[in-house]
Amino acid sequence: MADKSRPRKLSVYLYIPNIIGYIRVLMNCIAFALCFSNKKLFSILYFISFVCDGLDGWCARKFNQVSTFGAVLDMVTDRISTACLLVILSQVYKPGLIFLSLLALDIASHWLQMYSTFLLGKASHKDVKDSTNWLFKAYYGNRMFMAYCCVACEVLYIILFLLAENQNENMMDVLMNSAKQSSLLSFLLALSLFGWAIKQAVNIIQVKTAADVCVLYDINRKQRP
């Protein structure tokens, strides 16, 4: 008997936002393959891939092609691409532990948030309306604010990668010298650092909030008769 679900599964894989997701993966693969031989091309491809992160969401809503697979593909692509860039930065700058710590925080916060969302039976990890933290609610409740923080974070990492001329650079020295040379770059760094700081604060809040959900879930389960 033929599997009647196969055409339906294929149609989900061929959703426009999911195709954009595949293109993002391909661009990231090419970008990281060229990251040390052609920094400018890497930065362009990486940033275009990041911009497509917003485009696929818009297409999903526009064409009514929202899917769980697409949401997972989107998040996994985001996390892996950011993780790879942070690993590269950890090899370029000292102390590299800073970037590895940021990587650990990023993965931990999103993984815990996704798992806590599953425990609460919510449809999206962005549903934080019941949170008591104003910054957490503002981040996920305002699409433009969240977009600014995410873009600022990625732009800062790209700038840091472009500014590094050798391995084992001192990050603070590179930032200070670059800011002195250009007022435009100084402004861009300040704007990016502000958004980056907010995103890291949200990640920390997210770890604590999601951990509390997991603990309360265990407590409530043990109290059931």
Side-chain angles (χ1 to χ4, degrees):
M1 181 180 293
D3 185 359
K4 295 181 179 180
S5 66
R6 186 171 298 174
R8 188 173 298 175
K9 284 195 297 184
L10 181 61
S11 67
V12 173
Y13 284 125
L14 295 179
Y15 277 179
I16 293 174
N18 294 344
I19 292 174
I20 294 174
Y22 309 146
I23 294 172
R24 288 186 65 203
V25 172
L26 180 60
M27 281 195 291
N28 279 325
C29 289
I30 296 172
F32 283 106
L34 301 172
C35 63
F36 289 112
S37 60
N38 195 328
K39 282 188 172 184
K40 289 184 178 179
L41 181 58
F42 161 80
S43 301
I44 292 171
L45 289 174
Y46 185 91
F47 190 73
I48 291 175
S49 172
F50 178 74
V51 170
C52 287
D53 179 30
L55 179 62
D56 62 7
W58 179 86
C59 287
R61 294 184 295 272
K62 175 71 173 178
F63 299 106
N64 193 26
Q65 293 184 340
V66 177
S67 65
T68 302
F69 169 74
V72 173
L73 175 65
D74 184 53
M75 176 173 281
V76 170
T77 303
D78 288 344
R79 301 281 66 77
I80 291 178
S81 57
T82 301
C84 289
L85 183 51
L86 285 170
V87 169
I88 289 174
L89 289 173
S90 73
Q91 300 302 305
V92 174
Y93 286 99
K94 59 179 183 181
L97 183 60
I98 293 176
F99 297 102
L100 295 180
S101 299
L102 291 172
L103 168 58
L105 176 62
D106 187 59
I107 293 176
S109 66
H110 283 85
W111 195 92
L112 276 168
Q113 179 67 6
M114 287 296 294
Y115 198 79
S116 66
T117 299
F118 168 75
L119 292 178
L120 293 172
K122 294 181 178 180
S124 172
H125 69 283
K126 297 178 182 178
D127 181 2
V128 296
K129 294 189 289 291
D130 55 349
S131 174
T132 57
N133 189 282
W134 66 270
L135 181 59
F136 198 40
K137 291 174 70 174
Y139 179 80
Y140 279 117
N142 189 311
R143 194 180 298 274
M144 293 302 296
F145 180 55
M146 182 171 65
Y148 157 67
C149 294
C150 292
V151 170
C153 196
E154 298 296 335
V155 167
L156 177 63
Y157 294 154
I158 291 173
I159 291 175
L160 285 172
F161 181 65
L162 288 172
L163 290 176
E165 296 180 356
N166 304 296
Q167 286 192 333
N168 295 321
E169 294 267 21
N170 186 292
M171 184 175 63
M172 293 307 300
D173 289 344
V174 171
L175 285 174
M176 294 299 294
N177 292 333
S178 301
K180 291 177 182 178
Q181 294 175 7
S182 170
S183 57
L184 177 61
L185 180 58
S186 179
F187 173 76
L188 187 58
L189 282 171
L191 194 63
S192 299
L193 276 168
F194 182 69
W196 170 86
I198 293 174
K199 193 172 189 307
Q200 304 318 308
V202 169
N203 279 342
I204 294 172
I205 295 168
Q206 192 163 252
V207 168
K208 178 62 170 60
T209 302
D212 286 344
V213 169
C214 294
V215 170
L216 289 173
Y217 177 82
D218 282 335
I219 293 173
N220 291 333
R221 187 176 59 177
K222 291 179 180 179
Q223 290 177 346
R224 291 172 189 167

